[in-house]
Amino acid sequence: MRYAMAVDTKKCVGCSDCVVACQTENNVPIGYCRDWIVEVTDGTYPQLEIEIRSERCNHCENAPCVRCCPTGASHYSDGGTVLVKKYHCIGCGACIASCPYDARFPHPEGYVDKCTFCLDNRVKKGMDPACVSVCPTKCLYFGDLDDPRSPVSQILKKRKYKTLIPEAGTKPHLYFLI
Amino acid sequence: MKTSRRQFIKTSSLYAGGLAMAGSGLKAASGLLKNLGGNVEGLSRTPTYCEICFWQCAGWVYKDDDGRIQKIIGNDDDPHCNGRLCPRGTGGVGMYHDEDRLKTPLIRRTVDGKQVFEEATWEEALDFIAEKMKSVAAEFGPECVVLFSHGSGGAHLGHMLKAFGSQSISAPSFAQCRGPREVAFLTTYGDIVYSPERTDIRDSRCLVFIGYHLGENMHNGQVQEMSDAIDKGATIITVDPRYSVAASKSKYWLPIKPATDLALLLSWIHVLIENGWYDKEYVEKYTFGFEQLREHVKQYTPEWAYGITTIDPNVIRRTAKEMYDASPAVIVHPGRHTTWYGDDTQRLRAVAILNAILGSWGRRGGFYFPERVQFPEYPTPAYPVPNRLPTEAYAGKYNLANEVVSNGICDATIPSVDSDCNFKVWLVNGTNLMLALPDQKKTLQAIQALELVVVIDTMPVEITGYADVVLPECTFLERYDMVRVSRHREPTLALRMPATEPKYHSKPGDWIARELGIRLGLAAYFPWKDMEEHLDWQLKQVGSSLEEMKRIGVKKFPRQYDDLYLHEGEDFFFNTNTGKIELYSTDMEEEGFPPLPVYTEHEQPPEGFYRLNYGRAPMHTFGRTANNPNLTDLMDENTLWVNPKVANLWGLENDQYIKLRNQDGIVSTFSIKVRITERIRWDSVYMVHGFGHDNKKLSRAHGRGINDTELITNVKIDPVMGGTGMRSNFVTFVFENDNAGEEVEA
C-alpha cells in the first residue's frame, strides 16, 4: 500500500480552503499550516500562464527527513506515510533543514509538525484527508497507488503529471496534474 | 476642530462596571444541543447554514466533548455546496472565536464634553431605542425609520419594522451590486437571475465571463460547477483587463481596455447576427424585436470594436463562433457585482440579448428554471399600510428598480429643500455602510442628520463608531434563524440552529427584533413562544418538522411546477409586456431609455493616474471577514497590483508600502503593499475590497491595507435603476517620503 495525492493545477483556484480545513481538522494553531498554496506566474502581459498548486509534505519514498532524524521520531507509517512521533521529537530541526519541499515547521509546543495525510484521524476510518474532502473544485485526488481503482491511480493514468524537485531523488508521493 | 453631533468613537468605551463580561446568565439549552445527529467522528454535530456570505451553504457544526466548536463541514445534501464549504465557511469558526466581537450593548453618552460609549444592559439599550423610535414616529411617521440590512438578521428586524408601519428597508446588495443585472434580465426575460444564480454551469460547453472573476469570488456552487465544466472540456472565454484566475483557466483571455465591455458585447451580437450564428427557431418563437436589433447592431463591427476595446477583430469573430458552436449550452455570465460605469443596466441588457439569440435561456448548459418550496409565514396580523413608500425618497427616478435603492435612501436622509422625505432613524444590521456605500462624505452627512443610529452587528465595524446604540448580535453558530428557502434545480429547505449558547452578552437577531417589537407595542406580531415553535409550525405546513430538520439539516423537495428546461417547441409566456423575450425592451422605451443598448464612452484615466479596479479574494467576504482569526491567517491585508512597466516608471518596488490619491484629491488613510505583476494592464491598478479598516477595535484588521471605498468618490449613477457605478475612479501614487521632503524644505 502506497498512499499518494494528485493535485489538478488546471482546476485549483488557489482559494486556500485546503489550508483552513486542515487547520480546523488537525488543530493546527493559527499562524501555522501543514498545507499551503503556491502560485507561479509566467510570461509577460498579455501572454501569461499561472500554475496554482496546493502543496504539502510529499510523503517521499526516500525521505531525507526520516534518514536524518536523530531520535527516530520521523518515520514511515502505514502506506508509506511519513509521520512524526511528537513525544520522540526533540525539536532539533534537522528534518526541517533536510526537506527540499519546506514542508515542516516547528510547532509552538516544541515538536516538528507537518501533513499526516490525516492518516489516523480520517484515512484509517475510511475518509479522505480533510483537504481532499473539502476542496470546492475537487482538484485533489487521494488513494493507494497499488490499487488501480483508487482515484489517484485512475487520474494519474489519464493525465500528464509532474513531481516537484525530482532531482532531489526523494521519490515524492505528491503529483501535480498539468 | 468642528464638533459634530455624532463623532466617530474609536477609543475604548467607558466601562460602567457591574456587568460580567463572560458567560451571560442565560443558559441556552446546551444539554439539548449535544448528541444530535450522527456521531461520525466522535464529535456531536448540529445543522446550520453559513452566514459568512450570501451563498448560505448548509453545513454541520462539530463540537468536541467539552462543547467547543471544532469545525464546520458542508452538508452533502445541499445543492449550494454539495458537502464542500469554501474557505470562508470552513473558517466560519473564526467568527465565533474572534475575541474582538461586540460583547455588550453600548449607548453613546457625553461625559465631560467627550462622546463615549457606555456599557448598558439590554433593557436599557432596547428601552432607549424604543422610546426614541416612538417619539420620532409620532412627529414624522413610522416610515422615517429605515433598516439597512445584509444577512439573516434582516428577516426578523424587517418584520418588526413592517409591523411598526415602515417599509423603508434596503440592502446595498442591490444598488451597489446585483441591481443592474436583475433589472436587465427582468426587462428582457421578465425574470431575474436570482442568488444562487440559475446558471447551468456544470453542463455548459462554453462559459463567457465579463470581468467576472469566478474562483476569486468564491460563489461556492458556481466555482464547483466551473471545475466540473473544465473536466468536461468546456471552452472558457474571459474578458478582463486583469489576468484573473478564471482567465488562467480560459481558452481565450481577452485583455480588454477597461470600461469598454459594452462595445465588445455589441460587436459579438453583430457578428452572430451577420453570420447567421444564432438560434433562428428560438429567436422566432420566443423573442421580440429581432429586426430592430439586427438593424441596430449593424454599426457595431469587430473593426469598430477593435479601436475601442483593443481586442483583435479576428478574436472577436472566433470567440463568437465558439459561443455559437456550443449553443444553446453556452452561458454569457451576467456576473454579480455589476455596478461599474453607470450604464450598467444597458451593458447587462447586451449580455441578456446575447444569451437570448444563442438560445441559452431555459436550456441545458445555459440558464435553468429554478424552483423553491412555497413556505408559509407564521400567521401574524396584517402589517399597517404605510403612509409613504421608501421609493418616494427618489420619486420619479429609477422606476425600473425592483428593490429599494440604498443610496437613494441615504441621499434623502440628508436634509434638502428638494425633498420632504427625511429619514430620521437608521437601523443598520450586518452591513458596514462605511465600506459598502461609495462617496463616504455623503454617508457621513446623512448620519449627522439622523435622530438615532442603531447598529446591530457581531463586530465593531466602522459604522458602529457612528451609532447611538450598538447591539451585539450573536453569530450564526449561536442562534436559530428563519429556514433557508432555497431556489435551485431542486427546491430545498435548510435549518440553522444554535451549536452553542451566545457568547458574551450577545443575542440572536430574532430575540432583538421581538424585544424591540414588544416595547413598541407590537407583541401581537410576535405570537410564537420561541423560535423553535415558530420554525416547527412552518416546517409542519410543508410536511417536515423541526425534529426532522435537526437530524438532516437539509431537506429536498420534488419540483412541482415546470421542468428545469424548455421542452422542444414548448409555448412559453415570458413575464414581459409582450410575453416574449424582449430584445427590444418596451419597458426601457416607456421609461425614456434606449430600448436597445447603445455604446457610450466612459472616462479614461488622466496622465499619471490609473483606473482603480477592485475585486474579491476567495478567503474573504467584503470587509466582514477582515478580522476573522482563521481567515486573516490566510490573507491579512490587500496588495496593490501594478504592472511592471508602471512600477518601473514610478520606481516602485515589490512589498513597498505606498498611499494612493484619487482624482478628487482624496488620499488613502493607510498604505498598501505593492505587488508588481504582469497580471494587470498598465492603465489600471487592482486591489481586493474590504481592507483598510480604521476602527482600532478590529485588532487584526486595523490599518492593514487600503479601503478602496474611501477612494471611490466619482460615482456614476445608473439612471435606469439607481446603481452606483464605482469603477470610474483614478488613482496615483503617494510616497511616504513626499511629506518628509516638504518638511525639510520648510
Side-chain angles (χ1 to χ4, degrees):
Chain A
M1 193 164 61
R2 291 177 301 143
Y3 285 127
M5 194 182 286
V7 181
D8 191 344
T9 64
K10 297 289 180 199
K11 291 199 293 185
C12 178
V13 294
C15 74
S16 302
D17 205 2
C18 45
V19 182
V20 207
C22 172
Q23 288 171 326
T24 60
E25 176 68 37
N26 297 302
N27 291 315
V28 178
I30 283 177
Y32 299 87
C33 57
R34 292 179 177 182
D35 52 355
W36 60 93
I37 297 292
V38 173
E39 193 184 285
V40 185
T41 308
D42 213 13
T44 50
Y45 196 97
Q47 249 66 52
L48 289 163
E49 270 180 41
I50 316 178
E51 183 174 284
I52 306 176
R53 302 192 296 260
S54 167
E55 292 189 7
R56 57 189 53 60
C57 171
N58 282 248
H59 296 277
C60 307
E61 250 175 80
N62 179 22
C65 54
V66 173
R67 246 181 299 126
C68 76
C69 178
T71 67
S74 284
H75 65 288
Y76 298 107
S77 185
D78 296 0
T81 308
V82 176
L83 298 183
V84 182
K85 291 178 199 156
K86 67 176 177 182
Y87 297 113
H88 289 69
C89 176
I90 53 171
C92 71
C95 56
I96 297 176
S98 78
C99 176
Y101 307 105
D102 203 13
R104 294 172 162 244
F105 63 91
H107 192 282
E109 285 172 18
Y111 58 92
V112 170
D113 199 19
K114 62 178 269 305
C115 163
T116 62
F117 271 167
C118 290
L119 186 69
D120 289 329
N121 49 338
R122 295 183 63 94
V123 173
K124 283 185 179 172
K125 294 175 187 165
M127 294 181 283
D128 276 329
C131 54
V132 177
S133 72
V134 81
C135 176
T137 63
K138 286 166 270 180
C139 78
L140 301 176
Y141 299 81
F142 180 78
D144 178 5
L145 288 177
D146 292 333
D147 175 3
R149 291 160 307 167
S150 74
V152 71
S153 301
Q154 295 276 335
I155 198 78
L156 290 177
K157 237 179 283 172
K158 273 196 284 195
R159 294 275 300 272
K160 252 176 80 179
Y161 59 84
K162 66 174 182 185
T163 55
L164 296 181
I165 325 181
E167 63 275 21
T170 55
K171 297 187 184 166
H173 277 187
L174 189 56
Y175 298 89
F176 295 91
L177 308 173
I178 48 176
Chain B
M1 193 179 97
K2 215 177 120 193
T3 55
S4 61
R5 244 181 45 62
R6 196 166 277 107
Q7 289 165 1
F8 178 69
I9 302 180
K10 52 191 166 190
T11 48
S12 60
S13 59
L14 181 76
Y15 289 102
L19 282 165
M21 285 309 292
S24 68
L26 302 130
K27 293 276 179 221
S30 56
L32 259 178
L33 306 177
K34 273 198 168 182
N35 301 321
L36 274 167
N39 206 4
V40 192
E41 298 166 44
L43 300 168
S44 63
R45 68 177 198 182
T46 48
T48 191
Y49 58 87
C50 185
E51 186 74 12
I52 309 289
C53 92
F54 42 75
W55 209 259
Q56 299 191 317
C57 297
W60 297 102
V61 187
Y62 285 85
K63 289 189 301 176
D64 62 19
D65 285 344
D66 300 328
R68 197 178 149 82
I69 294 175
Q70 279 295 314
K71 58 180 179 181
I72 313 171
I73 305 289
N75 186 319
D76 290 337
D77 290 331
D78 183 31
H80 293 219
C81 76
N82 307 300
R84 292 161 185 266
L85 295 180
C86 83
R88 298 163 301 161
T90 308
V93 289
M95 190 178 181
Y96 169 76
H97 291 303
D98 196 329
E99 69 285 2
D100 292 337
R101 276 173 61 174
L102 291 169
K103 298 181 174 77
T104 195
L106 303 170
I107 299 180
R108 174 184 297 264
R109 308 247 192 238
T110 303
V111 178
D112 298 334
K114 198 179 163 216
Q115 295 185 9
V116 292
F117 280 132
E118 219 170 61
E119 289 191 353
T121 62
W122 277 97
E123 290 280 309
E124 287 167 344
L126 293 168
D127 287 347
F128 181 95
I129 297 166
E131 282 315 308
K132 195 81 190 175
M133 274 175 73
K134 279 194 271 190
S135 70
V136 171
E139 193 175 345
F140 302 99
E143 305 86 2
C144 71
V145 182
V146 179
L147 169 66
F148 288 104
S149 165
H150 192 270
S152 299
H156 312 294
L157 292 160
H159 171 68
M160 181 274 296
L161 197 59
K162 285 181 204 161
F164 186 62
S166 172
Q167 308 262 345
S168 310
I169 300 169
S170 182
S173 51
F174 180 75
Q176 279 69 53
C177 196
R178 293 175 292 110
R181 113 181 161 190
E182 305 300 27
V183 174
F185 276 68
L186 201 55
T187 51
T188 311
Y189 295 96
D191 203 357
I192 64 170
V193 184
Y194 296 114
S195 171
E197 283 79 2
R198 61 200 296 173
T199 42
D200 205 12
I201 296 179
R202 68 180 183 197
D203 285 326
S204 187
R205 291 170 54 217
C206 179
L207 295 167
V208 186
F209 298 137
I210 323 281
Y212 183 61
H213 54 355
L214 193 56
E216 285 162 282
N217 67 36
M218 201 64 206
H219 301 163
N220 196 348
Q222 294 203 86
V223 175
Q224 296 190 14
E225 294 198 14
M226 174 171 76
S227 186
D228 294 340
I230 292 172
D231 263 344
K232 292 187 199 168
T235 298
I236 305 179
I237 300 164
T238 298
V239 180
D240 201 317
R242 187 178 63 96
Y243 191 60
S244 61
V245 168
S248 78
K249 310 289 183 201
S250 302
K251 181 171 173 188
Y252 299 93
W253 170 43
L254 279 52
I256 196 165
K257 180 174 174 181
T260 66
D261 310 81
L262 186 49
L264 174 68
L265 290 161
L266 291 167
S267 168
W268 268 337
I269 298 171
H270 168 99
V271 172
L272 293 175
I273 294 179
E274 288 299 304
N275 291 287
W277 295 341
Y278 61 94
D279 191 330
K280 292 169 193 80
E281 233 173 276
Y282 185 97
V283 164
E284 171 71 23
K285 188 166 178 61
Y286 297 121
T287 70
F288 169 80
F290 182 73
E291 282 313 312
Q292 288 101 314
L293 176 69
R294 180 201 289 274
E295 270 311 303
H296 175 69
V297 297
K298 274 200 172 137
Q299 53 188 319
Y300 299 128
T301 63
E303 282 67 24
W304 164 83
Y306 175 46
I308 294 168
T309 61
T310 73
I311 304 299
D312 180 339
N314 292 324
V315 173
I316 297 178
R317 291 193 176 89
R318 215 176 304 140
T319 46
K321 183 68 166 40
E322 288 268 8
M323 291 182 222
Y324 176 62
D325 288 345
S327 66
V330 53
I331 298 169
V332 184
H333 201 288
R336 188 156 180 131
H337 174 76
T338 46
T339 46
W340 299 353
Y341 308 116
D343 64 345
D344 305 302
T345 308
Q346 293 290 11
R347 185 183 70 251
L348 272 297
R349 275 266 303 141
V351 169
I353 291 168
L354 255 180
N355 282 299
I357 63 174
L358 289 162
S360 70
W361 185 266
R363 294 298 207 22
R364 180 182 292 275
F367 295 77
Y368 59 80
F369 294 113
E371 197 176 303
R372 71 169 177 177
V373 179
Q374 295 298 318
F375 198 63
E377 295 292 338
Y378 194 104
T380 56
Y383 296 130
V385 178
N387 290 323
R388 59 183 177 188
L389 292 171
T391 45
E392 282 184 37
Y394 39 88
K397 286 194 283 186
Y398 321 143
N399 287 337
L400 290 175
N402 61 320
E403 290 182 36
V404 177
V405 178
S406 49
N407 40 298
I409 299 284
C410 180
D411 291 355
T413 302
I414 303 168
S416 144
V417 286
D418 304 330
S419 157
D420 65 341
C421 200
N422 284 348
F423 297 105
K424 297 295 176 193
V425 178
W426 280 10
L427 310 178
V428 185
N429 174 228
T431 174
N432 186 9
L433 293 180
M434 300 317 298
L435 265 72
L437 296 178
D439 204 352
Q440 288 183 335
K441 213 168 64 192
K442 263 191 181 171
T443 314
L444 285 172
Q445 261 180 300
I447 286 172
Q448 294 306 335
L450 288 163
E451 298 282 329
L452 176 69
V453 180
V454 179
V455 176
I456 305 126
D457 211 306
T458 63
M459 295 301 298
V461 289
E462 282 69 19
I463 187 72
T464 58
Y466 299 98
D468 296 298
V469 185
V470 179
L471 301 179
E473 197 180 15
C474 66
T475 69
F476 71 104
L477 297 168
E478 307 158 288
R479 63 197 267 179
Y480 280 107
D481 264 305
M482 294 304 186
V483 169
R484 188 199 77 190
V485 184
S486 167
R487 188 183 261 108
H488 216 276
R489 292 185 181 98
E490 263 182 303
T492 54
L493 298 179
L495 176 71
R496 171 184 293 163
M497 68 176 286
T500 182
E501 62 194 78
K503 243 188 180 183
Y504 313 115
H505 292 285
S506 66
K507 291 284 189 185
D510 73 282
W511 184 91
I512 298 170
R514 181 188 178 127
E515 287 295 316
L516 202 48
I518 290 169
R519 283 166 173 78
L520 294 167
L522 307 169
Y525 289 89
F526 299 89
W528 45 85
K529 189 170 129 261
D530 52 22
M531 275 303 275
E532 296 207 338
E533 196 238 332
H534 182 154
L535 300 177
D536 193 47
W537 184 89
Q538 286 182 291
L539 288 163
K540 283 191 170 134
Q541 309 311 305
V542 294
S544 180
S545 67
L546 185 60
E547 187 277 323
E548 182 190 40
M549 290 303 287
K550 282 181 176 180
R551 252 187 305 115
I552 60 177
V554 172
K555 190 174 171 74
K556 295 184 179 183
F557 289 79
R559 287 176 71 97
Q560 299 221 319
Y561 303 102
D562 47 10
D563 285 322
L564 264 183
Y565 312 112
L566 288 167
H567 292 277
E568 190 72 40
E570 180 184 343
D571 288 323
F572 193 91
F573 181 85
F574 292 86
N575 191 24
T576 56
N577 297 332
T578 55
K580 303 227 175 215
I581 300 170
E582 294 200 352
L583 306 176
Y584 182 98
S585 170
T586 54
D587 275 338
M588 293 287 242
E589 189 172 41
E590 270 173 32
E591 289 295 326
F593 301 116
L596 289 162
V598 178
Y599 174 70
T600 44
E601 210 178 311
H602 298 299
E603 291 166 59
Q604 290 295 334
E607 175 101 39
F609 281 77
Y610 304 88
R611 186 181 301 272
L612 173 62
N613 279 332
Y614 53 83
R616 305 260 178 259
M619 58 289 280
H620 283 288
T621 304
F622 329 131
R624 69 158 60 186
T625 52
N627 204 65
N628 177 314
N630 295 74
L631 302 179
T632 45
D633 196 28
L634 302 174
M635 178 182 182
D636 62 355
E637 62 186 322
N638 54 2
T639 56
L640 186 75
W641 294 36
V642 182
N643 183 282
K645 286 193 184 80
V646 177
N648 203 21
L649 202 68
W650 290 82
L652 294 174
E653 282 175 31
N654 255 326
D655 298 342
Q656 169 185 5
Y657 281 86
I658 49 160
K659 288 190 173 185
L660 297 177
R661 187 177 68 242
N662 79 356
Q663 71 286 333
D664 295 325
I666 304 287
V667 178
S668 62
T669 309
F670 302 110
S671 302
I672 189 167
K673 198 198 267 188
V674 172
R675 171 183 177 178
I676 300 171
T677 173
E678 290 285 355
R679 291 175 60 188
I680 180 105
R681 260 178 81 106
W682 51 88
D683 53 5
S684 46
V685 292
Y686 174 82
M687 69 174 73
V688 170
H689 167 78
F691 288 87
H693 288 265
D694 63 4
N695 197 344
K696 284 183 178 158
K697 290 175 188 171
L698 298 166
S699 62
R700 274 173 295 275
H702 175 258
R704 306 309 304 267
I706 281 182
N707 168 11
D708 54 326
T709 307
E710 67 180 345
L711 299 169
I712 298 174
T713 50
N714 184 24
V715 180
K716 301 290 184 195
I717 301 290
D718 189 330
V720 179
M721 47 60 72
T724 52
M726 300 192 267
R727 292 197 174 161
S728 290
N729 288 271
F730 310 110
V731 293
T732 190
F733 311 107
V734 180
F735 297 88
E736 289 289 352
N737 55 8
D738 276 5
N739 294 336
E742 282 165 25
E743 274 170 18
V744 171
E745 279 169 35

